Amino acid sequence: MEVTMDPLFLALSYFRRRKLQQCSDICTKILQDSPYDQAAWSLKTRALTEMVYIDEVDVDQEGIAEMMLDENSIAQVARPGTSLRLPGTSQGGGPSPAVRPMTQSGRPVTGFVRPSTQSGRPGTMEQAIKTPRTASTARPVTGSSGRFIRSGTTLFEYIFHHENDMKNALDLAAQATEHAQFKDWWWKVQLGKCYYRLGLYREAEKQFRSALNHEEVVDTYLYLAKVYRRLDQPITALNLFKQGLDHFPGEVTLQTGIARIHEEMNNISSATEYYKEVLKQDNTHVEAIACIGSNHFYTDQPEIALRFYRRLLQMGVYNCQLYNNLGLCCFYAQQYDMTLSSFERALALVANDEEQADVWYNIGHVAVGIGDLTLAYQCFKLTLAFNNDHAEAYNNLAVLELRKGHIEQVGDLQSSYTAAQKSEDAFPEHVDTQQLLKVLRQHFAVL
């Protein structure tokens, strides 16, 4: 006798195994026979939501409109140490900006790619259009809060994440909040998320604050901190994280948030201390290990940095960036036998042209270190073949052309001045390029 499994039970089984498309297809068949089956509707909306679900806590990327038409700026010139947009010089004895590379937005290069830290806020519309975006999140997707058991919460999540219809999501959340007599913290958080998506940050702040008054929840602290970061109030965000730690001692996500803000404000020493606290609670925290390793590398401790990157390798992290960092650490730690093999692995794992350019640039940097200027020149040219806006490669080519005596020669990148100008066009605030151009202009003045 053949036994068939109940379709809804099978769909639920697929959902639990993260086979979301199969789950949705079975629910669709169920609804064709029973259009009013609430369980099937609820499960299908959950499956469709999970297909596109992104943790709102970490994703904080600004579009061109928000970047160029910011209506939430409090002061044009913020005091030093109070703004994420003008982080200023390093504090607390950390490495100077001349030692630690900076992004085009003026922030120090972090050891872990996270949203809105690498690209930052471009200064012009042209930079905004060509600014690369990162799709990776630094924190794992948070689990559901157990509210999916009600069809109303399931519907909201579907409208918010899958349909991306903020107006209807806001209306639903407002009606649900009113129905709950303004005492349900979860719906207030959803209201705040809708306001945040719509750019109404002060309204979002009120909702998150009100939710915290009803229930102390870690995610609410993280959402509220996002609001203050978008309003460029890092000190307020830091105080909020510390307030959260009073209620949730040792909470990794709150400590990580403090470390990120210190890092973005170029207070590297304080950021490292908080990342160390993170590792005391979670010794497999990839972001903390990577950032501490990066800090050791930029403070001339490549041997210690190598230990942290090897730890990531032991944990199963296997990507181009890791092998690229391993190659640099091995080179500066004088472990030359491992340097080229690490870069070979990095080249084999590249996922896009930008990564390919970065690896070739670092190989060229190693070639300069060992005195093979011909190889270095070829590597920098390969870098530009994969990324024509690589300012550091242009700068290094300009230096090599200067050493050859090609200062004024006309031709594509055949003169030091031409390459330096292209470097300035790609990254106007690049310190090394500005110094090189100053030397070249002095040479022209003497002539």
Side-chain angles (χ1 to χ4, degrees):
M1 179 178 178
E2 184 178 356
V3 179
T4 58
M5 183 180 294
D6 180 75
L8 184 62
F9 185 84
L10 180 60
L12 184 61
S13 175
Y14 278 131
F15 181 83
R16 289 176 175 173
R17 287 179 286 161
R18 306 296 298 174
K19 296 182 179 181
L20 302 175
Q21 187 60 53
Q22 292 94 318
C23 173
S24 176
D25 293 341
I26 293 178
C27 289
T28 301
K29 294 179 181 179
I30 295 175
L31 291 172
Q32 289 175 351
D33 299 329
S34 304
Y36 299 103
D37 190 327
Q38 293 188 12
W41 274 115
S42 178
L43 185 57
K44 182 176 180 178
T45 54
R46 289 179 64 185
L48 293 174
T49 301
E50 288 295 325
M51 290 181 188
V52 296
Y53 183 82
I54 298 176
D55 190 356
E56 289 289 310
V57 169
D58 272 331
V59 176
D60 190 20
Q61 295 187 5
E62 299 172 301
I64 296 178
E66 289 84 356
M67 294 175 182
M68 309 308 296
L69 303 173
D70 188 0
E71 298 177 354
N72 299 286
S73 179
I74 296 176
Q76 294 297 323
V77 181
R79 289 180 298 170
T82 63
S83 173
L84 294 174
R85 299 167 189 172
L86 298 171
T89 59
S90 61
Q91 307 168 18
S96 65
V99 175
R100 191 183 185 94
M102 310 292 284
T103 64
Q104 295 190 17
S105 61
R107 293 176 178 176
V109 171
T110 61
F112 191 90
V113 177
R114 62 183 77 96
S116 74
T117 61
Q118 297 297 322
S119 54
R121 297 171 61 89
T124 65
M125 182 66 74
E126 289 76 12
Q127 290 178 355
I129 293 173
K130 70 181 182 181
T131 295
R133 292 292 174 192
T134 174
S136 63
T137 59
R139 203 165 71 93
V141 174
T142 55
S144 61
S145 59
R147 319 264 320 178
F148 278 126
I149 56 176
R150 297 203 313 233
S151 59
T153 58
T154 307
L155 179 60
F156 173 83
E157 294 286 346
Y158 173 77
I159 296 173
F160 186 87
H161 291 286
H162 188 273
E163 297 299 314
N164 198 26
D165 187 348
M166 290 304 109
K167 182 179 181 300
N168 285 326
L170 180 63
D171 290 341
L172 175 59
Q175 293 180 25
T177 303
E178 184 178 358
H179 180 73
Q181 299 180 347
F182 305 97
K183 296 180 181 179
D184 193 320
W185 67 269
W186 190 87
W187 281 113
K188 290 187 176 182
V189 169
Q190 308 318 306
L191 268 177
K193 288 165 60 177
C194 293
Y195 281 130
Y196 183 88
R197 282 279 196 95
L198 293 170
L200 303 173
Y201 303 124
R202 288 302 180 186
E203 286 75 5
E205 176 191 7
K206 293 177 184 178
Q207 296 299 328
F208 291 139
R209 284 286 184 187
S210 180
L212 281 177
N213 291 334
H214 288 286
E215 188 77 25
E216 297 282 346
V217 179
V218 174
D219 275 8
T220 309
Y221 281 103
L222 299 176
Y223 286 129
L224 186 55
K226 276 183 60 177
V227 172
Y228 289 130
R229 292 180 64 177
R230 181 57 66 87
L231 293 173
D232 195 24
Q233 298 181 20
I235 303 301
T236 306
L238 285 174
N239 293 333
L240 178 69
F241 281 130
K242 292 175 182 178
Q243 177 185 343
L245 286 174
D246 292 337
H247 294 88
F248 302 96
E251 172 58 40
V252 170
T253 55
L254 298 176
Q255 292 176 333
T256 304
I258 296 176
R260 290 176 183 175
I261 292 179
H262 280 302
E263 192 173 42
E264 291 178 26
M265 294 175 66
N266 206 11
N267 194 351
I268 306 299
S269 58
S270 296
T272 303
E273 291 302 318
Y274 276 100
Y275 279 127
K276 290 180 180 178
E277 291 297 321
V278 170
L279 289 182
K280 291 180 182 179
Q281 304 295 328
D282 180 7
N283 58 10
T284 62
H285 198 279
V286 175
E287 180 179 351
I289 295 173
C291 289
I292 294 175
S294 174
N295 182 53
H296 282 299
F297 178 80
Y298 287 119
T299 52
D300 294 328
Q301 297 175 311
E303 298 87 355
I304 300 178
L306 191 59
R307 292 168 54 189
F308 283 92
Y309 290 131
R310 283 177 173 170
R311 170 62 176 162
L312 291 177
L313 200 61
Q314 293 170 350
M315 289 168 51
V317 179
Y318 189 75
N319 55 34
C320 169
Q321 293 85 353
L322 178 57
Y323 277 105
N324 184 59
N325 292 344
L326 283 169
L328 287 173
C329 288
C330 289
F331 175 71
Y332 284 104
Q334 299 182 4
Q335 298 185 18
Y336 301 118
D337 55 329
M338 294 294 296
T339 301
L340 290 180
S341 61
S342 296
F343 283 125
E344 287 176 354
R345 290 282 186 90
L347 287 173
L349 294 172
V350 292
N352 51 54
D353 287 347
E354 187 177 353
E355 292 182 0
Q356 188 101 333
D358 288 338
V359 176
W360 279 114
Y361 171 77
N362 286 317
I363 296 175
H365 193 68
V366 170
V368 171
I370 62 177
D372 192 341
L373 301 185
T374 302
L375 175 61
Y377 189 88
Q378 294 173 345
C379 290
F380 295 140
K381 294 285 284 186
L382 281 170
T383 300
L384 296 176
F386 291 105
N387 182 5
N388 199 38
D389 293 323
H390 203 288
E392 292 82 0
Y394 279 120
N395 179 78
N396 288 1
L397 278 176
V399 174
L400 292 177
E401 293 292 352
L402 180 62
R403 294 186 62 173
K404 293 179 181 179
H406 299 164
I407 299 177
E408 304 176 74
Q409 183 177 343
V410 179
D412 184 22
L413 295 181
Q414 294 301 309
S415 75
S416 179
Y417 190 71
T418 302
Q421 281 184 319
K422 287 186 174 291
S423 177
E424 184 183 33
D425 293 339
F427 189 178
E429 289 80 23
H430 193 239
V431 177
D432 292 341
T433 300
Q434 295 300 327
Q435 292 177 347
L436 179 59
L437 283 171
K438 183 179 179 180
V439 172
L440 292 172
R441 286 163 183 161
Q442 288 176 348
H443 172 79
F444 294 145
V446 171
L447 295 178

